[in-house]
Amino acid sequence: MAGARPRGRAAEVWHCLQGVTDPELDESVVELNFISRVEVDSENRVHIEFRLPTYWCAANFSFLMADDMRRAVIELDWVVGVSVVLGEHMYADKINEGLAKGLSFRDTFGVEADGDLDDLRRTFLIKAFQRRQVALLNHLAGAGHAATTVVSLTLGELGDLPVEDEGAKLVRRYLERRDVVGPVRADALAFLDAEGARLKADGLSSYVSGLRRVGINAEFNSALCRGLLSVRFDLETPFVAKSKMSSSTNSGSQHVP
């Protein structure tokens, strides 16, 4: 029985991580096989290790994912602390040091930092919103819903719309990101653009066509990332972090993508 609680709590951590997404791909870091280890110790501290498809994945993306993992897991009421460690990455030492000290991305990289994580997070949340929106709009059009009806739907009406399983999944995923562009109320319009403006029925087709590029690019990148990760790592073997890079490797200036 002594090990039952940690195992159960580890399952809770995995469930939390399921909701953390790669900022560019809008896919779960668990489904993408980025998480290599989750452990809960006897003091209810959570230890997470993760890895990325390439050694040179952008430092700001990497730091953002680690920060999102920490934020998600710390919400569990029994968690005392969370450590997140990135392995097999050119900036691993610097990122892990910053994470361990509770520093921000900007404080971790100083003058090398390019932009703020909050701005980056919002940029990719909007892209995720657009990708989910176009998938849902395409589905509704295919189900025979007229453009004039769709653009007039409120959030309450969208939630009550009779749809099959696939449609329900698309609605659920869309609603998870809807708050990025405006208040979420039952009487609020369901479909807005990235600036929070109402969509127009007579321009809906061209609007959807423009957003399709977001989805196509994300799908291509997702397939590429999965392929690179499967080639780079043996996904059946538990992750073992390599020793830290030598000081000579870390010397000199580094550009943060």
Side-chain angles (χ1 to χ4, degrees):
M1 293 296 293
R5 178 172 291 180
R7 283 196 296 272
R9 289 187 165 174
E12 290 184 54
V13 174
W14 279 104
H15 181 72
C16 283
L17 294 175
Q18 186 74 36
V20 178
T21 60
D22 176 290
E24 185 175 24
L25 305 181
D26 189 32
E27 291 190 49
S28 167
V29 293
V30 173
E31 298 300 322
L32 288 167
N33 281 313
F34 288 177
I35 308 299
S36 50
R37 174 175 170 263
V38 169
E39 182 178 288
V40 180
D41 66 23
S42 60
E43 298 179 345
N44 288 331
R45 296 182 180 277
V46 177
H47 306 276
I48 300 167
E49 292 176 2
F50 76 109
R51 58 202 177 180
L52 296 171
T54 68
Y55 183 72
W56 54 86
C57 283
N60 50 3
F61 286 10
S62 308
F63 201 102
L64 178 59
M65 274 185 274
D67 189 51
D68 285 349
M69 292 175 202
R70 183 193 60 78
R71 290 186 182 201
V73 174
I74 202 66
E75 289 297 316
L76 292 170
D77 58 12
W78 53 265
V79 172
V80 174
V82 181
S83 71
V84 182
V85 175
L86 171 63
E88 309 281 357
H89 190 276
M90 64 187 297
Y91 294 116
D93 287 348
K94 181 168 281 192
I95 289 173
N96 292 335
E97 181 180 2
L99 292 170
K101 292 179 178 179
L103 301 179
S104 67
F105 175 71
R106 189 179 294 277
D107 288 339
T108 297
F109 282 90
V111 295
E112 297 175 297
D114 182 12
D116 183 84
L117 277 195
D118 288 337
D119 292 337
L120 181 68
R121 182 180 282 109
R122 175 162 179 80
T123 294
F124 283 104
L125 282 174
I126 289 175
K127 288 187 177 183
F129 160 78
Q130 291 175 320
R131 185 180 177 188
R132 296 182 186 198
Q133 185 185 68
V134 73
L136 178 55
L137 288 173
N138 280 331
H139 181 84
L140 293 177
H145 296 280
T148 52
T149 301
V150 170
V151 299
S152 299
L153 287 172
T154 65
L155 286 171
E157 291 168 340
L158 177 62
D160 294 335
L161 206 62
V163 290
E164 76 287 1
D165 290 346
E166 179 60 24
K169 177 182 177 182
L170 292 173
V171 169
R172 183 175 65 254
R173 281 178 54 79
Y174 174 67
L175 293 178
E176 288 173 355
R177 292 289 181 266
R178 170 58 178 73
D179 63 347
V180 174
V181 297
V184 178
R185 303 186 309 269
D187 61 345
L189 285 172
F191 295 104
L192 304 172
D193 66 16
E195 284 71 45
R198 177 175 184 163
L199 302 186
K200 297 180 179 179
D202 58 0
L204 189 60
S205 179
S206 59
Y207 172 79
V208 169
S209 295
L211 288 188
R212 281 201 185 103
R213 292 192 297 271
V214 176
I216 291 171
N217 289 340
E219 288 168 11
F220 173 80
N221 289 337
S222 175
L224 179 62
C225 282
R226 290 178 189 274
L228 289 172
L229 191 70
S230 65
V231 170
R232 188 176 182 214
F233 296 106
D234 171 9
L235 298 180
E236 301 301 320
T237 302
F239 172 74
V240 177
K242 291 184 177 179
S243 59
K244 291 185 176 181
M245 292 183 292
S246 65
S247 58
S248 60
T249 302
N250 288 331
S251 62
S253 63
Q254 295 175 317
H255 172 68
V256 181

